[in-house]
Amino acid sequence: MHTEHTIETSAERQNRHKAMEAISVINALREDFKSPIHSMGYFYDLFEKVYCHHQPLHEGKAKIGTMCIQIPSEIIYALDGVPIRLCNGFYTDDEIGGDLLPQKSCPLVKATVGWFASDNFSDKPDITFSPTTCDQKTKAGAIIESFGHTVIDVGFPRTKESEESRHYWRESVKSFAVKLSKFQGKKLTRSNLESAIKKVGYAQSLYHKLTEFRKNKAVPILGVDMFLVTNAFFFDKIDEWISAVEKLVVELEQRASEGVNVAGKASPRIVYTGSPPIFPNYKIPLIIEQSDAIIVADETCSSNRMFNDMVAVDEWNLYDMIDSVSDKYLKACTCPIFTQNDDRIRRIIQLVRSYNGDGVIYQAFAGCQVYEMEQRSVLAAMEKEGIPILYIESDYSPSQHGQLTTRVEAFIESLKNRKRMKK
Amino acid sequence: MTKNKFSLRRAVNNMNLVRFRFWFQIVAFALVVYGGYIGLDLGDKLPTFACVFNGEGTGGKCYVGELQHDLKHPLEGFMGFAGYAFLISLGMFAVWFWALNKGWCGFVCPLGTMQDWLTMLREKTKIRYSEYSWANRGKIKSIKYILLILLLLLPVMIANSVFGLPKLPNGLSMPFCDICPGRMMIPAFTGHFNQFYIDFSSKTDLVMTTLGMIITGLFLVGSFIKKRFFCYFCPMAALQYVFSKPALLKLYKDGSKCTKCGDCYRACDMDILEIADDVTSKNLVTEDCTLCLKCVAACPEEGCLEANFMGATIFESTKEGFILRMAMDQNKENHAH
Ligand code: SF4
Ligand code: SF4
Ligand code: SF4
Ligand code: SF4
Ligand code: SF4
């Protein structure tokens, strides 16, 4: 037999490493937990297709890169683009980005910059919109631009209480819409925006149906599976995502009626918050759920925060819809970059209450200043409410696994004791 | 969510508030403006603008008219029977008001309803609505109190010399009615256009009736471009607010469930910021609130806002209701018009 020997290019090596990272998480999800969900297969396959086999999903479509949740996908869909959220969870890309950014930067930002630096995409964004949220994201936009990509800043206010901020952001969104509409050569109209708002709203409503099941005593779906479902929304074809989630809802209904529980009887129920878990960096969520706890809700921008609040329109005219969309992406956002964090604290407490949580796990990426800085106030607020909380700092490297596991296990053990004591 | 799929509670929370209010307002309008033809008489102490200048046909009359009339007595008279009558009238008004609170504004007041119709007309023409600038909002808020004080004070000053000032001319006996758009608009619905006139009999009458015409014009144009344009200045709203706290119908908020998303504020015709931003108060009936409940219908958080009658929830925000009302429950490819 004759095989040709070629030297692996750096892009190929990058892809091989990423495939290895991806597949190990997908396999863990597929195999490590009891009572797997049949309709999750779609999502496992999707991630495998894109991250192990490097298959493009959107050939022939304009791919509109976004750097945060604040860029309204409603407007992108209305203008016939595909929003691709570029927040990245790969250690391989993090290492590449590490050479270009200060050592202490946020791994998410490093990974995103690393991805652009290597210019190795299955679906390469044609243009990228970068909201000026945290400092590192803001600077990353400029760095990425220096690699020859088109990056457009979308001015995002850092206080959200004031009416000035609301107006500033509405203007930002309008100018984003104008630029995108020029880029796409398509007009934003009442009917295309209305149907995009309704479609995204429908997708959100499906997500809300999924979360309802997590309030049950027997929880029919893992938190890591939920992260995978929401992360898929970053890049999947929206119609396919919708029909996959519709199937998932039906299956969960079935499982809920049968009382299927993916956790143990006494498994503590965790509310997860902090820096966003983005595929395949499910390090902490996996440790939690492998240590006999179950994530029942989260307050992160890669999942719950992305889907929570829906656009409410009073008059279905173009101007009112744009304002409604803008408001939704600003006012409800509990991102730590804002001056105040009362909203985030209130939200976490509310999640603990309505999902019957036993404790909170707060992960901050090493180098993510804003989450690190909010740690103390959140801890103090939880203490006041009598909610146990564990604060963990982590990054994308596979190295600290052992130490993290010990801490998470100890916390979960203490929650179990607390539960027993209460009985 | 799967629990009690067909309950009444759920049906109410899922209702299409816009449609419900539209029909409720029409029925209320008909009863208030034409009720007299079927023998309905709710008296003249209603906490809504149902005009006393309607010769016949009204099912009830607005208390602001009566109030000015009541106050036009010399002080001595006021110490006796007139004062007594005044207190009874005020009491009657309060009793009416306590049942429905500001719901009179959101669901019954004919002037409010007319403004909503003008808004609907504008919506149809796709003309953009205007908002008051934030810098002016504070000032605008106080106008209704100034009007209220004037309408209370001027009639008193006709019969009495207050602070040693000379008595006012009789033309000011109903100072607010003179400038109230209700005086022209409401009788017009029963075919009586006799209030559209300028009275040249005295200088005061000339000024007041001219003002009245101008304000009615403003009312029509203003509420076409600004939702509930007139309600911001309405002295009836100011009077109502004085009695609002103990009223039975309430707008409650559970701040712990609020995400400050601002959906309620966007829906609010009165631009009440507190409805979204206040997460500590329970009772959210603020001075400008019309209890229209649009905010409850627009809130996507389960049980965050609710209309409460004597401790019982009658309509509350739910995710499901929100999704239905925004028509987000169906994944239609095209929402073509
Ligand atoms: S994780 Fe923190 S530093 Fe990183 S992008 Fe998000 S907010 Fe910014
Ligand atoms: S003019 Fe206005 S205030 Fe006077 S009775 Fe008529 S509606 Fe009431
Ligand atoms: S505030 Fe508006 S609705 Fe209420 S009484 Fe005045 S005009 Fe009528
Ligand atoms: S709509 Fe509901 S959740 Fe949103 S700000 Fe208003 S009360 Fe709060
Ligand atoms: S606060 Fe609510 S009930 Fe009051 S006027 Fe605004 S939308 Fe209507």
Side-chain angles (χ1 to χ4, degrees), chain A residues 329-388:
Chain A
Y329 282 91
L330 175 70
K331 296 304 270 191
C333 187
T334 43
C335 181
I337 58 138
F338 292 118
T339 49
Q340 306 288 330
N341 70 333
D342 313 352
D343 290 356
R344 193 159 87 88
I345 289 172
R346 246 197 1 267
R347 178 84 184 134
I348 298 168
I349 294 171
Q350 179 56 23
L351 287 174
V352 171
R353 284 197 193 132
S354 50
Y355 289 82
N356 218 341
D358 297 306
V360 173
I361 292 184
Y362 185 147
Q363 167 200 241
F365 293 150
C368 167
Q369 271 204 355
V370 282
Y371 278 112
E372 287 173 330
M373 287 182 87
E374 284 196 351
Q375 185 235 128
R376 288 187 75 92
S377 58
V378 174
L379 254 53
M382 294 305 131
E383 200 162 289
K384 212 171 132 216
E385 290 289 316
I387 300 166

Side-chain angles (χ1 to χ4, degrees), chain A residues 146-209:
Chain A
S146 73
F147 303 150
H149 292 270
T150 315
V151 179
I152 295 180
D153 290 332
V154 182
F156 193 70
R158 295 255 176 125
T159 42
K160 64 168 180 174
E161 276 73 22
S162 68
E163 282 299 298
E164 291 86 349
S165 295
R166 188 201 300 272
H167 289 295
Y168 171 63
W169 177 239
R170 283 181 180 178
E171 291 311 311
S172 283
V173 170
K174 270 173 217 154
S175 109
F176 151 73
V178 168
K179 284 172 191 156
L180 185 62
S181 144
K182 270 213 189 100
F183 182 81
Q184 291 287 77
K186 195 180 158 121
K187 260 188 89 159
L188 194 63
T189 65
R190 189 163 87 99
S191 71
N192 64 25
L193 186 55
E194 180 180 340
S195 59
I197 288 176
K198 289 187 173 163
K199 180 172 280 184
V200 174
Y202 179 64
Q204 282 175 307
S205 76
L206 286 174
Y207 168 79
H208 285 286
K209 278 193 183 150

Side-chain angles (χ1 to χ4, degrees), chain A residues 397-409:
Chain A
S397 82
S399 63
Q400 337 141 289
H401 200 266
Q403 186 231 354
L404 287 174
T405 312
T406 319
R407 290 191 58 204
V408 171
E409 277 175 352

Side-chain angles (χ1 to χ4, degrees), chain B residues 49-53 62 64-65 68 176-177 180 182-183 186:
Chain B
F49 282 143
C51 194
V52 294
F53 290 89
C62 122
V64 169
Q68 294 162 91
F176 183 74
C177 288
C180 172
R183 181 171 56 86
I186 297 165

Side-chain angles (χ1 to χ4, degrees), chain A residues 163 166 170 194-195 199 202 205 208 309-311 314-315 319-320 323-324 327 331 343 346, chain B residues 122-123 127-129 227 255 258-261 263 265-266 294 319 323 328-329 331 333 335 337:
Chain A
E163 282 299 298
R166 188 201 300 272
R170 283 181 180 178
E194 180 180 340
S195 59
K199 180 172 280 184
Y202 179 64
S205 76
H208 285 286
D309 289 282
M310 289 174 266
V311 176
D314 192 35
E315 292 181 18
Y319 56 85
D320 202 35
D323 284 353
S324 303
D327 283 8
K331 296 304 270 191
D343 290 356
R346 246 197 1 267
Chain B
R122 176 188 50 74
E123 259 182 73
I127 293 172
R128 199 200 158 114
Y129 56 78
K227 298 174 195 171
C258 174
T259 62
K260 283 201 194 161
C261 67
D263 284 358
Y265 165 68
R266 282 202 57 71
K294 279 179 79 182
K319 267 181 196 165
I323 288 163
M328 283 169 178
D329 55 321
N331 180 32
E333 263 304 307
H335 299 265
H337 291 271

Side-chain angles (χ1 to χ4, degrees), chain B residues 47-49 105 109 111-112 115 228 230-231 234 236-237 240:
Chain B
T48 139
F49 282 143
C105 292
C109 174
L111 277 192
Q115 294 176 76
R228 290 274 171 149
F230 179 75
C231 295
C234 174
M236 175 69 95
Q240 289 178 342

Side-chain angles (χ1 to χ4, degrees), chain A residues 77-275:
Chain A
Y77 283 123
L79 289 171
D80 220 14
V82 185
I84 307 270
R85 184 162 154 202
L86 298 159
C87 299
N88 189 335
F90 282 91
Y91 180 55
T92 310
D93 293 330
D94 172 18
E95 276 190 308
I96 299 171
D99 294 338
L100 301 157
L101 294 175
Q103 240 340 286
K104 283 184 186 145
S105 318
C106 159
L108 190 159
V109 173
K110 279 193 281 185
T112 304
V113 170
W115 203 8
F116 273 99
S118 55
D119 198 19
N120 184 14
F121 293 93
S122 52
D123 277 302
K124 184 177 164 177
D126 298 301
I127 185 171
T128 297
F129 289 91
S130 167
T132 55
T133 50
C134 74
D135 289 350
Q136 305 190 43
K137 278 254 165 91
T138 305
K139 299 306 288 179
I143 295 169
I144 290 165
E145 190 157 38
S146 73
F147 303 150
H149 292 270
T150 315
V151 179
I152 295 180
D153 290 332
V154 182
F156 193 70
R158 295 255 176 125
T159 42
K160 64 168 180 174
E161 276 73 22
S162 68
E163 282 299 298
E164 291 86 349
S165 295
R166 188 201 300 272
H167 289 295
Y168 171 63
W169 177 239
R170 283 181 180 178
E171 291 311 311
S172 283
V173 170
K174 270 173 217 154
S175 109
F176 151 73
V178 168
K179 284 172 191 156
L180 185 62
S181 144
K182 270 213 189 100
F183 182 81
Q184 291 287 77
K186 195 180 158 121
K187 260 188 89 159
L188 194 63
T189 65
R190 189 163 87 99
S191 71
N192 64 25
L193 186 55
E194 180 180 340
S195 59
I197 288 176
K198 289 187 173 163
K199 180 172 280 184
V200 174
Y202 179 64
Q204 282 175 307
S205 76
L206 286 174
Y207 168 79
H208 285 286
K209 278 193 183 150
L210 290 182
T211 59
E212 265 330 283
F213 297 110
R214 303 167 85 190
K215 289 183 179 159
N216 296 358
K217 234 194 176 120
V219 186
I221 184 167
L222 288 168
V224 274
D225 275 342
M226 284 297 290
F227 280 126
L228 200 73
V229 171
T230 52
N231 280 195
F233 197 77
F234 285 22
F235 59 88
D236 196 9
K237 290 185 179 136
I238 185 166
D239 291 315
E240 287 182 19
W241 188 92
I242 282 174
S243 61
V245 178
E246 277 170 344
K247 285 185 195 120
L248 190 54
V249 169
V250 173
E251 190 172 349
L252 289 194
E253 229 152 59
Q254 174 71 23
R255 283 161 78 93
S257 67
E258 289 163 6
V260 178
N261 192 354
V262 289
K265 255 208 170 114
S267 301
R269 302 164 70 94
I270 303 293
V271 171
Y272 192 94
T273 184
S275 302

